[in-house]
Amino acid sequence: DVKVTQSSRYLVKRTGEKVFLECVQDMDHENMFWYRQDPGLGLRLIYFSYDVKMKEKGDIPEGYSVSREKKERFSLILESASTNQTSMYLCASSSQGPYEQYFGPGTRLTVT
Amino acid sequence: LAKTTQPISMDSYEGQEVNITCSHNNIATNDYITWYQQFPSQGPRFIIQGYKTKVTNEVASLFIPADRKSSTLSLPRVSLSDTAVYYCLVGDNMGRRALTFGSGTRLQVQP
């Protein structure tokens, strides 16, 4: 079975802190994605990557950056966390085309 | 990317068949239709994908009319464990573009 793991299930950070969210997949998938999910808004795509060192902006990239140095790992970085970045963050991976995405368990981030 | 429209919520009872319709009027020739299911506190899970006519797997069926401007996810004989949010997505399976998840349909199954 495909496994997508995220570094933390729950995280509490202070405003202005730099935050790293790590995602690792074990199926040699080319594509990896970061989403945030907020009540009433569904999932919104932040960034995605279709190859090592490649990245593309999604619908809401402002305030975020990403890093993909190895195929299996995709990191989401909040350079200076703000309270409006309090959310559930979901990582996903897929092979060949974005369709059958496999999601991690999510990280619930609270910025105070 | 083709925009999708789904009902915000639906209610059903155990044992009934549930049909959730998604409209995608601007679907392109190369676009596929995919449905995901999400339980609380979990990431979405792929259910089914189709291009035209009908697709069936062990979980659901997907009906796509000839004009492909809509699709219907059919869940046979739902149980309480089918209570979840269901997302309809439309996009090109060939390129490297990501898909857009909408707000989904919240299905509540009652005993």
Side-chain angles (χ1 to χ4, degrees), chain B residues 41-60:
Chain B
S41 301
Q42 294 185 24
R45 181 177 73 104
F46 172 91
I47 302 177
I48 197 166
Q49 176 185 321
Y51 183 80
K52 62 180 179 180
T53 63
K54 177 184 174 182
V55 179
T56 297
N57 62 23
E58 65 278 4
V59 176

Side-chain angles (χ1 to χ4, degrees), chain B residues 14-33:
Chain B
E14 281 191 294
Q16 288 188 334
E17 178 184 76
V18 171
N19 295 309
I20 306 174
T21 297
C22 177
S23 64
H24 27 79
N25 292 320
N26 297 321
I27 190 167
T29 304
N30 292 334
D31 285 345
Y32 282 71
I33 300 153

Side-chain angles (χ1 to χ4, degrees), chain B residues 29-105:
Chain B
T29 304
N30 292 334
D31 285 345
Y32 282 71
I33 300 153
T34 309
W35 286 81
Y36 280 79
Q37 174 191 55
Q38 186 179 24
F39 298 113
S41 301
Q42 294 185 24
R45 181 177 73 104
F46 172 91
I47 302 177
I48 197 166
Q49 176 185 321
Y51 183 80
K52 62 180 179 180
T53 63
K54 177 184 174 182
V55 179
T56 297
N57 62 23
E58 65 278 4
V59 176
S61 294
L62 178 59
F63 298 93
I64 305 168
D67 66 6
R68 304 196 332 118
K69 293 183 183 299
S70 67
S71 58
T72 299
L73 175 73
S74 181
L75 305 172
R77 295 183 296 282
V78 295
S79 63
L80 296 177
S81 62
D82 292 315
T83 293
V85 178
Y86 293 83
Y87 296 94
C88 165
L89 289 80
V90 171
D92 183 349
N93 201 29
M94 299 299 293
R96 289 172 169 172
R97 294 182 297 131
L99 301 176
T100 298
F101 283 77
S103 298
T105 298

Side-chain angles (χ1 to χ4, degrees), chain A:
Chain A
D1 275 353
V2 175
K3 195 157 186 182
V4 180
T5 57
Q6 297 184 227
S7 49
S8 306
R9 287 303 305 270
Y10 300 93
L11 207 53
V12 179
K13 295 292 182 180
R14 292 182 181 264
T15 302
E17 278 193 85
K18 191 169 186 175
V19 181
F20 293 87
L21 302 182
E22 301 282 335
C23 175
V24 178
Q25 51 95 0
D26 66 359
M27 284 301 291
D28 202 35
H29 283 168
E30 291 82 9
N31 305 315
M32 296 189 75
F33 309 83
W34 274 106
Y35 297 87
R36 64 177 282 177
Q37 185 169 31
D38 302 288
L41 296 176
L43 276 80
R44 293 181 291 167
L45 181 67
I46 305 171
Y47 269 97
F48 66 104
S49 167
Y50 51 80
D51 202 352
V52 176
K53 297 192 187 295
M54 304 299 287
K55 61 184 179 184
E56 288 201 22
K57 293 180 180 179
D59 299 319
I60 51 164
E62 297 77 20
Y64 303 93
S65 62
V66 290
S67 172
R68 193 165 180 201
E69 296 296 320
K70 293 185 178 182
K71 191 174 186 180
E72 68 271 17
R73 189 179 297 269
F74 193 35
S75 302
L76 180 70
I77 303 153
L78 288 65
E79 295 289 342
S80 178
S82 63
T83 54
N84 63 11
Q85 292 177 310
T86 291
S87 186
M88 170 67 84
Y89 289 88
L90 288 157
C91 174
S93 72
S94 73
S95 64
Q96 290 189 10
Y99 274 88
E100 190 163 351
Q101 295 185 30
Y102 295 85
F103 282 81
T107 295
R108 187 166 294 282
L109 172 67
T110 302
V111 182
T112 61

